[in-house]
């Protein structure tokens, strides 16, 4: 059975551009729904079944930036903005609001197709990652729902930072992770987080998961370097 085709929504008020793009993407097997305003696309987007959104920045009513802000707040949908030559600032704002990519008009449709393919691969990989359920040392870690349970099925309550740190470790088993890399992975901005924060978080994870720092089985200290996730994953 072949997988279902990716569903792409186009919001573009310029009819020729919109129709040509929709036809082009459909010719590559994608399912395409196109709208001339954001408002008309909202009902479909709310269903959560759309894989990728291509939105013009300049639209009557809600513009591409507003759609980006709204969608990013509630979904992991891939977002590509179409921007005019004069939208330099908006393009940057768009990326900051969570758009994944942008294409300048007039665009080369092959280039846009390449970006669509690339982004669909990335979002599919992300989804697979966040749905994963991992097991190590008797613990079950459901990465998507952020739940950790012990062998008896009791939940281990983790803070957001502890969860994010654990996620970085389980996806990099056996690798020495230095503190800077761990900080970069768990904080999404460059604010005063210092490397000591990582030591504290690892200490807390060790304590919650019953890992003895003197005889570690999960988080092994690599002196002068960082930490290694040494538990066996299955
Ligand atoms: Ca427009």
């Amino acid at each position: 059975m072949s997988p279902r085709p990716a569903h792409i929504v186009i919001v573009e008020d310029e009819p020729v551009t919109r129709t040509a793009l929709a036809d082009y993407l459909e010719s590559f097997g994608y399912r395409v729904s196109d709208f001339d305003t954001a408002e008309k696309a909202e009902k479909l987007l709310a269903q959560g079944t759309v894989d990728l959104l291509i939105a013009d920045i300049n639209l009557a009513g809600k513009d591409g930036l507003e759609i980006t802000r709204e969608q990013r707040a509630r979904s992991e949908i891939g977002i590509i903005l179409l921007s005019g030559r004069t939208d330099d600032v908006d393009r940057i704002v768009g990326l900051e609001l969570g758009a994944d990519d942008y294409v300048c008009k007039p665009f080369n449709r092959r280039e846009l197709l390449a970006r669509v393919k690339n982004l669909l691969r990335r979002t599919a990989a992300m989804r697979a990652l966040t749905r994963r359920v991992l097991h190590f040392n008797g613990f079950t870690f459901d990465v998507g729902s952020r739940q950790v349970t012990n062998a008896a099925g009791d939940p281990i309550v983790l803070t957001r930072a502890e969860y994010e740190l654990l996620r970085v470790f389980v996806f990099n088993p056996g690798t020495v992770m230095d503190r800077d890399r761990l900080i970069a992975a768990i904080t999404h901005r460059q604010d005063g987080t210092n490397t000591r924060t990582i030591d504290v978080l690892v200490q807390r994870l060790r304590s919650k998961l019953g890992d003895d720092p003197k005889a570690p089985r999960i988080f092994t200290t690599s002196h002068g370097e960082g930490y290694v996730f040494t538990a066996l994953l299955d």
Side-chain angles (χ1 to χ4, degrees):
M1 197 182 87
S2 61
R4 73 172 178 95
H7 189 178
I8 300 172
V9 164
I10 299 171
V11 184
E12 162 64 86
D13 54 359
E14 213 280 300
V16 176
T17 306
R18 184 181 67 243
T19 311
L21 182 55
D23 289 349
Y24 181 68
L25 291 172
E26 273 172 354
S27 76
F28 286 89
Y30 296 112
R31 182 176 160 208
V32 180
S33 307
D34 61 287
F35 302 93
D36 59 355
T37 67
E39 286 77 0
K40 289 181 191 164
E42 278 174 348
K43 199 170 147 196
L44 176 57
L45 288 168
Q47 291 173 7
T49 54
V50 174
D51 300 287
L52 191 137
L53 169 67
I54 300 175
D56 186 23
I57 289 186
N58 281 306
L59 294 166
K62 274 185 195 171
D63 66 11
L65 299 179
E66 265 183 271
I67 311 174
T68 299
R69 184 189 300 114
E70 285 182 2
Q71 291 303 313
R72 193 43 85 234
R74 64 171 84 110
S75 80
E76 290 299 318
I77 187 175
I79 302 175
I80 297 177
L81 291 174
L82 300 178
S83 77
R85 219 179 321 159
T86 53
D87 302 338
D88 282 14
V89 174
D90 286 350
R91 220 174 284 154
I92 295 163
V93 172
L95 293 175
E96 283 171 350
L97 289 174
D100 298 282
D101 208 345
Y102 65 83
V103 173
C104 296
K105 291 202 271 191
F107 52 85
N108 174 313
R109 47 189 206 168
R110 277 175 171 279
E111 186 198 330
L112 179 58
L113 176 67
R115 291 181 190 224
V116 163
K117 282 184 179 166
N118 186 28
L119 187 52
L120 285 171
R121 257 196 305 273
R122 254 163 58 203
T123 49
M126 276 295 293
R127 263 200 299 268
L129 210 65
T130 53
R131 268 192 208 136
R132 258 158 83 169
V133 176
L134 301 157
H135 305 274
F136 63 90
N137 290 31
F139 294 100
T140 299
F141 181 22
D142 183 331
V143 182
S145 69
R146 308 184 164 202
Q147 306 256 348
V148 178
T149 46
N150 65 16
D154 303 321
I156 312 282
V157 179
L158 300 184
T159 64
R160 185 184 172 87
E162 289 162 3
Y163 155 78
E164 289 191 339
L165 189 62
L166 182 60
R167 187 175 62 170
V168 177
F169 275 120
V170 298
F171 288 124
N172 295 277
T175 309
V176 178
M177 303 291 287
D178 69 42
R179 292 172 179 80
D180 289 332
R181 188 167 162 200
L182 291 168
I183 285 177
I186 67 161
T187 61
H188 308 289
R189 54 207 129 82
Q190 310 285 324
D191 58 7
T193 319
N194 64 48
T195 52
R196 173 80 188 125
T197 308
I198 296 297
D199 297 330
V200 171
L201 288 172
V202 169
Q203 239 171 58
R204 291 196 333 218
L205 278 176
R206 274 176 169 156
S207 146
K208 288 186 178 182
L209 301 177
D211 195 33
D212 179 359
K214 295 196 187 81
R217 298 175 59 221
I218 304 176
F219 307 102
T220 302
T221 308
S222 178
H223 290 286
E225 293 184 295
Y227 297 96
V228 186
F229 185 78
T230 45
L232 214 56
L233 285 164
D234 55 72

